[in-house]
Amino acid sequence: MITWTIPRRLTAAFAVLVLLTLLLGLAGLYRFVALADRITSPKDGLAANIVPSLTVLNEISTLNTKVRRVAQRSVVFEMGSAEFEAEVAALDKARADGDALSAKYEAMISDDRDRELFTKATSARSKLLAEVDAMMELIKDGKASDAGTALVTKVDPVLERVIDAYRESSDYNKSFAERVASDAAAAVRQGYWLLGSGMALSALLGTLLGWLSSRGVSQALGGVSASLEKGAAQTSAAAGQLSSASQALAAGASEQGASVTEPRAALEEMSALLRSTAGTAEQA
């Protein structure tokens, strides 16, 4: 049977508590890292991807509407006028900004469905720009009336399809954001549950280890006390036996002394008898 000293028992109990604390901390850290990934992931993170994606889609939709307004105002102004040239410049800028935002969104696409919807929206936007360019050519050819007709019969129907396509893409991103937010909320709940359960388990095991350590120490100290009491009893018994042996030895020595004295007296009596006999012989 392996017996541990008191310091070893206390050290083992403390080491187990430290290990439990580390495990609890690592589990909590794992859950919060997963939560951070759902928020900051560049591919499908809520803050790093989805919210910016919705912002970009909204900006592109705004530019698409601006293109239509520029085209409408261009019909009013005379070809070659400063106002017309300003509208042409505004149209070119809206086109360039839209292209830049579209390229930016390409790098933020979350999955295949997102790519499919955005490709559909981009195709509709390209059709819109082509119809606006055709309308602007009519204006440059001095056919403002035909350009106005094209605005209503060709540009506006395409613009409606563009608006619907970008709305569908935005709706998908919103639903995707809701799923990510739901996953993040679930991760938070799991983190709370894990930390709460871990703390309760740690407290329970800590209490149990403390009780077992205290019990083991008490038993060890009780064993030491019992050993000391047993040793004291054995020492007392040995002292008693030693005292008895001493008394017996003293009694034996006294008896031996008495036995030595008796022969001496007998010898003295024999000596006296011999002297008396000698004296009688001399008188005779």
Side-chain angles (χ1 to χ4, degrees):
M1 179 178 179
I2 300 176
T3 58
W4 282 15
T5 62
I6 294 176
R8 286 185 178 180
R9 294 182 182 183
L10 294 176
T11 301
F14 180 75
V16 171
L17 287 176
V18 171
L19 179 61
L20 288 175
T21 303
L22 289 176
L23 291 176
L24 178 61
L26 289 175
L29 180 62
Y30 171 77
R31 294 311 307 166
F32 284 111
V33 167
L35 174 60
D37 181 68
R38 298 304 295 164
I39 295 175
T40 61
S41 172
K43 181 175 178 58
D44 57 3
L46 188 62
N49 181 283
I50 298 176
V51 173
S53 296
L54 288 170
T55 301
V56 170
L57 289 174
N58 182 66
E59 291 177 353
I60 296 175
S61 297
T62 301
L63 289 172
N64 293 333
T65 305
K66 183 177 180 180
V67 167
R68 196 272 179 198
R69 291 198 304 268
V70 169
Q72 182 181 10
R73 290 195 299 268
S74 298
V75 176
V76 178
F77 300 123
E78 183 180 354
M79 172 65 182
S81 65
E83 292 83 358
F84 181 81
E85 295 300 328
E87 295 301 329
V88 172
L91 177 61
D92 291 340
K93 186 177 187 306
R95 185 197 307 270
D97 290 344
D99 292 342
L101 289 172
S102 296
K104 181 178 180 181
Y105 188 87
E106 286 283 348
M108 303 168 66
I109 291 177
S110 302
D111 53 23
D112 292 338
R113 178 58 177 167
D114 189 15
R115 183 179 300 280
E116 177 186 349
L117 292 174
F118 185 69
T119 300
K120 176 183 176 182
T122 301
S123 177
R125 176 176 176 269
S126 297
K127 179 65 175 175
L128 172 66
L129 294 174
E131 292 294 343
V132 170
D133 288 340
M135 192 198 79
M136 295 297 289
E137 288 298 324
L138 290 174
I139 296 174
K140 293 177 181 179
D141 292 339
K143 300 177 181 179
S145 178
D146 292 342
T149 302
L151 176 66
V152 176
T153 59
K154 295 183 178 181
V155 173
D156 284 349
V158 175
L159 178 61
E160 291 297 326
R161 292 196 295 271
V162 171
I163 292 174
D164 291 340
Y166 277 94
R167 180 184 296 115
E168 186 177 8
S169 183
S170 296
D171 290 341
Y172 177 77
N173 276 271
K174 290 177 182 177
S175 65
F176 194 87
E178 291 174 355
R179 293 197 302 271
V180 173
S182 178
D183 292 342
V188 171
R189 289 193 297 270
Q190 291 177 1
Y192 283 143
W193 181 86
L194 180 62
L195 288 176
S197 301
M199 291 175 65
L201 180 61
S202 180
L204 178 62
L205 291 178
T207 302
L208 179 62
L209 286 173
W211 179 77
L212 290 175
S213 298
S214 176
R215 182 170 176 268
V217 170
S218 297
Q219 289 179 346
L221 292 176
V224 172
S225 178
S227 298
L228 291 176
E229 291 178 357
K230 183 177 180 180
Q234 291 177 349
T235 301
S236 177
Q241 293 176 357
L242 181 60
S243 176
S244 299
S246 299
Q247 292 177 359
L249 181 60
S254 298
E255 292 177 358
Q256 186 175 4
S259 61
V260 171
T261 304
E262 288 179 358
R264 181 180 296 174
L267 290 174
E268 290 178 351
E269 289 179 0
M270 290 178 65
S271 176
L273 180 59
L274 289 174
R275 285 197 299 271
S276 176
T277 302
T280 304
E282 290 177 353
Q283 290 177 3

